[in-house]
């Protein structure tokens, strides 16, 4: 069990791992060893509370498939164990982000000084653009 914020526990039995070969540079080690990790976590079949499941499914994260399965690929390290730990850590962060309540935004008005600065910038920019115009020839 992996403890998360808000007394939520993530059961490691709900996580499935697949080992694949990593991409990119690395020479013989990359070509020979399957050190990258594909983590798959089925949200609907997990032991998470229903509120957490709903928050995760509603988060709109691109790593969640239409079927409600989280897919995370980790290949940052040469070691399979480190990649597995990094993938679990990213899953835990993803769940904690979904659990965290969104702060309500307080509407505020701009200060008078900031309004004046904005108008001054606009006037200055307009003067610069006016200088770019054609020069009228006299005569």
């Amino acid at each position: 069990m992996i403890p998360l914020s808000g007394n939520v526990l993530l059961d490691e039995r709900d996580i499935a791992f697949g080992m694949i070969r990593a991409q990119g540079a690395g020479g013989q080690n990359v070509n020979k060893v399957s050190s990258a990790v594909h983590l798959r976590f089925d949200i609907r079949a997990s032991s998470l509370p229903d509120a957490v499941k709903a928050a995760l499914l509603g988060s709109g994260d691109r790593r969640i498939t239409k079927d409600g399965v989280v897919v995370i690929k980790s290949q940052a390290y040469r070691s399979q164990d480190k990649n597995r730990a990094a993938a679990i850590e990213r899953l835990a962060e993803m769940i904690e982000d979904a659990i965290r309540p969104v702060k309500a935004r307080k509407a505020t008005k701009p200060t008078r000084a900031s309004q004046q600065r904005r108008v001054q910038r606009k006037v200055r920019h307009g003067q610069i653009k006016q200088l770019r115009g054609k020069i009228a020839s006299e005569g």
Side-chain angles (χ1 to χ4, degrees), residues 32-79:
K32 194 170 69 170
V33 181
S34 296
S35 60
V37 174
H38 247 153
L39 177 146
R40 295 181 67 79
F41 177 74
D42 190 354
I43 297 171
R44 292 186 178 100
S46 70
S47 61
L48 292 174
D50 290 334
V52 176
K53 288 181 187 180
L56 258 176
L57 290 170
S59 68
D61 196 303
R62 63 178 173 79
R63 296 173 290 188
I64 301 175
T65 64
K66 293 177 187 173
D67 302 328
V69 178
V70 177
V71 178
I72 296 176
K73 182 179 180 182
S74 178
Q75 61 179 11
Y77 302 101
R78 290 174 61 128
S79 160

Side-chain angles (χ1 to χ4, degrees), residues 105-123:
R105 184 186 174 278
K106 278 188 186 175
T108 59
K109 291 184 178 178
T111 63
R112 182 172 289 144
S114 68
Q115 288 175 347
Q116 288 172 350
R117 284 193 301 269
R118 179 178 156 270
V119 170
Q120 287 171 355
R121 273 196 310 268
K122 284 172 65 96
V123 167

Side-chain angles (χ1 to χ4, degrees), residues 67-105:
D67 302 328
V69 178
V70 177
V71 178
I72 296 176
K73 182 179 180 182
S74 178
Q75 61 179 11
Y77 302 101
R78 290 174 61 128
S79 160
Q80 204 176 78
D81 292 333
K82 285 183 181 179
N83 282 328
R84 180 189 296 244
I88 292 174
E89 187 177 320
R90 288 182 11 211
L91 176 66
E93 286 174 9
M94 183 178 175
I95 295 171
E96 286 177 353
D97 286 344
I99 295 173
R100 190 174 302 122
V102 179
K103 272 189 173 179
R105 184 186 174 278

